[in-house]
Amino acid sequence: MRKKFFIYCFLLFVLVVIAYYYFKVGFLLLIVLPILLVVGVYNSLQKKHAILRNFPVLGYFRYLFEMIAPEIQQYFIERSTDGKPFSRNQRSLVYQRAKNIDSNTPFGTQQNLNQASYEGIKHSIFPAKVNEELPRIVVGGKDCKQPYLASIFNISAMSFGSLSENAIRALNIGAQKGGFYHNTGEGGLTDFHLQGGDITWQIGTGYFGCRNAEGNFDAEKFSEKANLPSVKMIEIKLSQGAKPGHGGVLPAAKNTEQIARIRGVVPHTIILSPPNHSAFSNSKGLIHFIKKLRELSNGKPIGFKLCIGNTAEFEDICHEMIAEDCYPDFITIDGAEGGTGAAPLEFSDGVGMPFEPSLIFVNKTLVDLNIRDKIRVIGSGKIVSGYSILHAIALGADMCSSARGFMFSLGCIQALRCHNNTCPTGVATQDKMLMKGLVVTDKSDRVYHFHKNTLHAANELLAAAGKTSFADVDINIFMRGDEFAQLSNSYFPDNLTNVTRR
C-alpha cells in the first residue's frame, strides 16, 4: 500500500500541475498534495505505528473511527433494548422522569417475555390504592443515638474528582429538594457537598478528608467533619462492585490542584487508593472500627459497603458482630456489575459476585443468624426504575441507592469517557470548559424529579401487586419465565397419546 500511495499521489500531483498550468484550476491541491506526500513519507519511515507505516495518511482514518466508535455504536447501531451497561430504553426512562415529562411508552413491550430469564410482578386482580406519600425508613440500631429517617431511594457513592464540582453541587441541591441523602464517595466530604442536602460520608481506604500525613486514619479530622449537621450517616467502604479487591482509581488528568489539596495528595498524578484499610485488617478490627466511628460521631448511624467475594468472610464478620454485641446500622451491598469512573478491565469483568445473588446471600445469612432486624440492608446495583427498587427489596434490601441513574438525570449520555476527563456533558470531568455545560440550577431540578417520579412509579407497582407497604414486599410477588414453561407443559403436554378426545 505504501508504493501505491506514493505512485498515486505523484501521478495526481502531475495531473494537478498540468491542469493548473493549462486551465488555472486546482491551486489548493497544489498546496495540499505536497503536504500529504511529506506526511506520507514520515508515516512510512516511523516505526511506532504499523498501520501508518503500511498505509500512510490513510491509516489516520482507522484512529478516527476508533475514537468515535462508541458514538457510532450508540447512535446508529444499537437498538432500544441494546446498550451496555444500560440500554437506550433505560436511559430514556431516566431522562424523561428527570425532565418531568411523560415517560409512558407506546404499542407494547419490546422485550421477549417467553423466555426463562423473564421476571415480572404478579399483579393483583384487586389492586390497592396508590400511596402518594414517598416511602421512608429509619436507619439506626440499639447503639445509635442519632437515627436517620431515610428515603428508600438515594444517591450512591460518587466522589468529587470522579465527578465535576457542578455535578456534585447539582446532586446535593436535588437531594435537599427531595429529602434524600447524597453519598460522597471515597473522595471525601467537600464544600460542594454542603449545599443543604443530607450526606452519607463514605470513608475509603485512602481516608481522604480524615487522613494524616502518612495516609492513615486521623480521628480528630474525622470527628470534626462527622459532626457536621449535614452528615447523617457514615459508610466504611470495604470494596466496590466494579473493582472489588482493588483500591479506587483517579486518573492523573482529573487530579487537579484543587482535588489534590482536598485529598492531601500530589496533584497531576494518578491516585491509587490502597486495596485494604490500614485502620483494621480483620473482622474483629472492623467491628472495633465501627465502635470507634460511632463514638467519634456522637452516635450517628455507621455502616459498611462491600461487594461479596469469599462468602465465608462475610459470615465471619457476622459472627464477630454477635460476639462483640456490636452491629453496623446498615450494610450496603454492591454487585460486580457496579459502575466506576476507572478500573482495570480484569476487575470489572472477572472479580466479585453479581448483585442479585449477593443480596440473597446477605439477607439469608442475617436471617439465619437472627440478626436481620438489627441491620438495614441497602441495595446498590443498577437501580434506575421503580421496578428495580421493588426487585431489590424483594430480594432482601430495605432501601436502595443509585449512582449511574442519578448521573443520567444530570445529563450523562453513557459516552464512556469517564476515565479520560473528556465527558461531553460535564458530569465526569474536571475540564472547566466542559463543566460549564452542566447548569446546576437546571440539573438539580432534574435530580429531584427523577427521584420523585421513580418512587411514584414504585408506589404504583406496589399498589398493582395489591400491597400497601414496602414492608410487605417479598419474592412471592415476582414470577420468572421458567414458571411459564411449567404452566404450559401442564396444559399442553408434549405427549398427547393418552389424551381422550371428546
Side-chain angles (χ1 to χ4, degrees):
M1 189 64 191
R2 273 178 294 184
K3 291 182 179 179
K4 290 181 180 179
F5 173 80
F6 289 117
I7 290 171
Y8 293 152
C9 274
F10 178 75
L11 290 176
L12 184 59
F13 181 71
V14 171
L15 290 175
V16 170
V17 170
I18 293 172
Y20 183 74
Y21 182 80
Y22 287 104
F23 305 105
K24 303 301 180 185
V25 296
F27 176 73
L28 287 178
L29 286 175
L30 283 176
I31 298 174
V32 172
L33 283 174
I35 295 174
L36 291 179
L37 278 169
V38 171
V39 173
V41 170
Y42 170 76
N43 289 160
S44 64
L45 294 177
Q46 59 83 34
K47 299 178 181 179
K48 188 175 181 180
H49 302 287
I51 293 291
L52 290 177
R53 188 174 174 86
N54 290 331
F55 300 89
V57 179
L58 295 176
Y60 287 113
F61 286 97
R62 183 260 184 191
Y63 299 108
L64 172 63
F65 292 136
E66 183 181 53
M67 182 175 64
I68 63 174
E71 287 78 9
I72 293 175
Q73 173 71 27
Q74 187 176 103
Y75 296 127
F76 300 107
I77 298 176
E78 74 177 39
R79 298 170 298 176
S80 295
T81 55
D82 292 337
K84 300 293 182 181
F86 292 87
S87 71
R88 188 191 298 269
N89 278 346
Q90 288 174 310
R91 301 194 305 268
S92 296
L93 177 68
V94 177
Y95 298 148
Q96 289 160 355
R97 286 182 173 163
K99 294 175 183 178
N100 204 30
I101 60 176
D102 183 12
S103 61
N104 292 316
T105 59
F107 220 65
T109 182
Q110 299 178 33
Q111 303 288 346
N112 180 10
L113 306 188
N114 291 302
Q115 55 184 352
S117 61
Y118 169 75
E119 291 183 349
I121 289 175
K122 297 176 183 176
H123 69 280
S124 171
I125 297 175
F126 308 104
K129 181 181 178 181
V130 177
N131 189 355
E132 294 301 323
E133 185 177 347
L134 302 184
R136 308 188 77 84
I137 190 167
V138 176
V139 182
K142 65 181 183 65
D143 297 321
C144 178
K145 297 177 182 178
Q146 301 184 56
Y148 174 57
L149 184 61
S151 168
I152 69 163
F153 186 44
N154 304 280
I155 302 172
S156 191
M158 293 181 285
S159 301
F160 170 57
S162 179
L163 266 57
S164 70
E165 62 183 68
N166 282 8
I168 295 294
R169 289 167 58 208
L171 288 171
N172 196 257
I173 294 171
Q176 186 271 329
K177 292 178 179 178
F180 53 100
Y181 74 70
H182 175 197
N183 192 309
T184 64
E186 68 172 301
L189 178 61
T190 70
D191 290 341
F192 306 121
H193 293 95
L194 302 176
Q195 306 295 311
D198 292 346
I199 286 293
T200 291
W201 182 18
Q202 187 181 86
I203 309 299
T205 57
Y207 305 114
F208 300 122
C210 57
R211 61 187 267 147
N212 59 23
E214 291 73 38
N216 296 318
F217 178 72
D218 187 311
E220 185 177 344
K221 289 181 179 178
F222 170 81
S223 181
E224 180 184 347
K225 290 186 176 181
N227 285 288
L228 291 173
S230 294
V231 176
K232 304 300 182 181
M233 303 199 299
I234 292 97
E235 180 180 81
I236 305 164
K237 177 185 173 183
L238 300 181
S239 58
Q240 180 180 348
K243 47 195 172 191
H246 192 287
V249 179
L250 184 68
K254 300 176 79 171
N255 181 17
T256 64
E257 299 275 354
Q258 180 186 40
I259 291 167
R261 185 171 59 256
I262 290 170
R263 297 196 182 193
V265 296
V266 178
H268 311 302
T269 59
I270 185 171
I271 301 177
L272 296 172
S273 299
N276 58 294
H277 280 265
S278 59
F280 56 89
S281 59
N282 53 34
S283 298
K284 183 183 288 290
L286 170 61
I287 301 306
H288 288 173
F289 193 58
I290 289 172
K291 286 183 181 179
K292 184 176 183 178
L293 297 191
R294 190 172 279 140
E295 292 171 0
L296 292 170
S297 65
N298 289 308
K300 290 187 177 180
I302 310 295
F304 60 83
K305 173 183 178 177
L306 82 166
C307 174
I308 298 295
N310 185 342
T311 55
E313 291 181 338
F314 181 78
E315 292 171 341
D316 184 54
I317 292 173
C318 292
H319 287 299
E320 198 61 47
M321 295 175 195
I322 297 170
E324 296 282 339
D325 192 29
C326 175
Y327 303 91
D329 298 291
F330 65 92
I331 299 174
T332 303
I333 303 302
D334 200 4
E337 64 271 55
T340 180
L345 184 64
E346 295 90 343
F347 280 81
S348 290
D349 286 357
V351 182
M353 187 183 293
F355 175 66
E356 184 173 314
S358 295
L359 195 50
I360 293 171
F361 163 73
V362 167
N363 184 62
K364 185 177 186 303
T365 301
L366 297 176
V367 169
D368 289 346
L369 294 174
N370 295 314
I371 58 174
R372 180 63 182 85
D373 61 327
K374 301 178 186 299
I375 304 167
R376 296 300 188 194
V377 175
I378 303 174
S380 180
K382 299 181 75 172
I383 310 292
V384 296
S385 67
Y387 179 90
S388 55
I389 291 174
L390 253 69
H391 187 253
I393 291 174
L395 295 178
D398 293 298
M399 49 199 287
C400 300
S401 62
S402 175
R404 288 171 291 182
F406 281 98
M407 286 179 68
F408 289 140
S409 75
L410 289 172
C412 166
I413 59 172
Q414 196 168 283
L416 307 181
R417 298 279 189 259
C418 308
H419 63 301
N420 58 18
N421 207 37
T422 58
C423 170
T425 58
V427 176
T429 180
Q430 298 306 312
D431 186 307
K432 296 293 185 182
M433 188 277 291
L434 293 171
M435 202 186 305
K436 287 180 180 179
L438 197 160
V439 180
V440 173
T441 51
D442 175 62
K443 302 306 182 185
S444 62
D445 283 341
R446 295 193 183 190
V447 169
Y448 161 70
H449 288 306
F450 168 60
H451 173 268
K452 179 182 177 181
N453 291 329
T454 301
L455 277 184
H456 178 70
N459 277 346
E460 288 186 316
L461 288 172
L462 182 73
K467 306 292 184 181
T468 57
S469 170
F470 284 89
D472 299 328
V473 172
D474 59 28
I475 201 62
N476 292 317
I477 73 166
F478 282 84
M479 54 187 168
R480 294 180 64 97
D482 49 11
E483 296 178 45
F484 306 159
Q486 296 172 12
L487 186 65
S488 296
N489 289 337
S490 298
Y491 287 92
F492 302 100
D494 294 332
N495 189 345
L496 298 176
T497 57
N498 295 323
V499 176
T500 302
R501 296 181 181 275
R502 295 184 179 179

